[in-house]
Amino acid sequence: MWERTITIGSAGKTFSVTGWKLGWSIGPYHLIKHLQTVQQNSLYTCATPLQEALAQAFWTDMKRMDDPECYFNSLPKELEVKRDRMAHLLESVGLKPVVPDGGYFIIADVSLLDADLSDMKNSNEPYDYKFVKWMTKNKKLSAIPVSAFCNKETKLQFEKFVRFCFIKKDSTLDAAEEIIKAWSRQKS
């Protein structure tokens, strides 16, 4: 697919440094030349020290790709443990997680919970918005409504799903686990 694909990467996603607005594109010249024109006329600044740091990070880990401590080898293993932990916790309260093969987020179907959202004001909001507000207020647990990423035509298809981030410190996941265990005991 090389001849018809541009691969776009980001330091924030690749190295878990959210906020580093630094990325790259790789692809065949006949596609990249157009992207270069857009980039040249739309980006006016970037943090040069971040460019150097990113280059050094790539250089360091490219030289140790066969080493288990290489970031590109260790991060997926770390994330898999956190993802599996989050999936188990969500299942324990009746949520149906959609377990991803990669990434930082897990989406869960909340439709089986039958949460009483009657005290949530704005009834025009999609269900997932109301559910996330209810969960934050009543369970002290935070998530993102999936319909926030949808256009008007597809919001209804996804309003029973919420998105949880699992690339968190263990102490944050421990706190979430305590909240979810308490929630699970309330349901029993």
Side-chain angles (χ1 to χ4, degrees):
M1 291 186 48
W2 170 257
E3 288 302 315
R4 59 182 181 206
T5 303
I6 296 175
T7 302
I8 299 174
S10 129
K13 295 294 185 200
T14 300
F15 288 104
S16 308
V17 286
T18 303
W20 284 32
K21 303 299 183 199
L22 193 60
W24 58 89
S25 303
I26 302 169
Y29 178 74
H30 72 277
L31 295 176
I32 287 291
K33 68 181 179 182
H34 302 294
L35 194 56
Q36 287 174 324
T37 301
V38 170
Q39 192 271 343
Q40 180 178 342
N41 292 297
S42 61
L43 301 178
Y44 298 103
T45 185
C46 65
T48 302
L50 297 183
Q51 288 178 310
E52 177 65 24
L54 179 60
Q56 289 298 323
F58 271 124
W59 182 249
T60 298
D61 274 316
M62 292 301 287
K63 291 188 292 188
R64 59 184 199 154
M65 284 299 280
D66 293 330
D67 184 338
E69 295 301 311
C70 171
Y71 182 77
F72 299 115
N73 297 324
S74 64
L75 181 65
K77 292 175 184 154
E78 177 187 346
L79 290 179
E80 184 176 19
V81 170
K82 292 176 183 284
R83 179 207 63 198
D84 293 348
R85 179 181 183 188
M86 181 66 79
H88 175 72
L89 290 171
L90 296 173
E91 288 169 343
S92 75
V93 290
L95 294 168
K96 292 185 339 190
V98 178
V99 181
D101 288 333
Y104 305 155
F105 303 99
I106 192 165
I107 293 173
D109 180 347
V110 299
S111 61
L112 294 179
L113 287 181
D114 198 31
D116 179 10
L117 306 181
S118 60
D119 65 334
M120 294 293 105
K121 296 194 166 57
N122 195 347
S123 62
N124 295 330
E125 288 182 318
Y127 182 87
D128 57 342
Y129 274 78
K130 290 186 276 190
F131 178 83
V132 165
K133 287 178 183 178
W134 170 85
M135 187 173 64
T136 302
K137 178 181 173 187
N138 295 293
K139 303 300 178 187
K140 308 299 184 233
L141 196 62
S142 177
I144 304 291
V146 171
S147 71
F149 302 101
C150 300
N151 63 28
K152 190 170 43 173
E153 291 78 28
T154 59
K155 270 192 190 302
L156 285 176
Q157 291 174 295
F158 296 99
E159 73 169 353
K160 298 293 178 135
F161 294 90
V162 297
R163 184 175 92 157
F164 294 89
C165 181
F166 57 83
I167 188 167
K168 300 288 184 184
K169 293 179 184 174
D170 286 337
S171 60
T172 303
L173 293 176
D174 291 343
E177 183 172 1
E178 289 306 311
I179 291 168
I180 289 174
K181 282 181 177 178
W183 186 359
S184 188
R185 285 190 297 271
Q186 290 173 350
K187 292 179 59 116
S188 302

